[in-house]
Amino acid sequence: MNNPGYNYVVVESDHVRNTNWLTMDQFKFFLLDSVDDDKKVAYAASFGIDNIKEGYAQIFKEALKNFKAISVCEDRGRELINSMANMEVPVALDPTMLLSRKEWFEIIDDVTIGTINEPYVFEYFLGKKTANVRKKKLKQ
């Protein structure tokens, strides 16, 4: 695909390399398979898993060679890329951490932020909660 008007196409997100959740088509989409090689950049991309699902590793290895620049946001991601593609990539700060508190508040200036005045637990969970996850949660 010719991408006139763009210097780079950057992929970054939580779990954009998570082969446990992504279909093969989604996986290829996040590998920017329709973008010119000289415009592909992965910034602080996340795996969110310890191992790549069978059948995905070879595709991943070949696709990585076509990126202009790659970084990941976790040590395990760096290890996976090194073991699959024999490439050294840096671990970079998640983009949400690139702004200061002041800058974030400037962005959300028009949003009303409520205050919770009683004890609470906030849970943010990616993926399906298995019985094993629920069991661990109860122990904590």
Side-chain angles (χ1 to χ4, degrees):
M1 172 182 186
N2 188 353
N3 311 105
Y6 297 105
N7 292 326
Y8 301 102
V9 177
V10 180
V11 63
E12 183 289 323
S13 185
D14 287 339
H15 299 269
V16 294
R17 306 285 185 246
N18 190 327
T19 58
N20 292 338
W21 295 353
L22 301 174
T23 66
M24 187 60 78
D25 287 339
Q26 291 168 326
F27 185 66
K28 288 179 180 179
F29 174 80
F30 287 124
L31 288 171
L32 305 178
D33 65 337
S34 64
V35 175
D36 295 338
D37 290 350
D38 64 334
K39 296 184 179 195
K40 295 179 183 183
V41 174
Y43 176 78
S46 171
F47 284 82
I49 54 175
D50 289 331
N51 298 297
I52 299 295
K53 191 190 277 185
E54 191 173 325
Y56 288 73
Q58 187 61 33
I59 293 166
F60 193 72
K61 177 182 177 180
E62 294 302 317
L64 287 176
K65 294 175 187 175
N66 299 322
F67 274 72
K68 183 151 182 86
I70 301 171
S71 65
V72 294
C73 68
E74 65 237 339
D75 289 332
R76 183 61 184 146
R78 177 178 50 199
E79 293 166 3
L80 286 168
I81 289 176
N82 184 269
S83 68
M84 283 186 295
N86 197 28
M87 296 172 69
E88 290 291 334
V89 299
V91 174
L93 191 61
D94 188 284
T96 61
M97 302 292 135
L98 296 176
L99 297 179
S100 69
R101 180 179 181 181
K102 180 179 182 243
E103 289 168 318
W104 275 116
F105 275 106
E106 287 171 3
I107 291 170
I108 61 170
D109 191 37
D110 294 332
V111 178
T112 302
I113 300 173
T115 301
I116 299 172
N117 295 319
E118 58 190 71
Y120 69 96
V121 173
F122 175 79
E123 179 182 25
Y124 182 80
F125 193 85
L126 297 172
K128 184 177 179 183
K129 287 173 123 181
T130 63
N132 191 32
V133 169
R134 287 188 188 99
K135 183 178 173 182
K136 286 181 182 180
K137 182 179 173 184
L138 291 174
K139 288 181 179 180
Q140 296 174 352

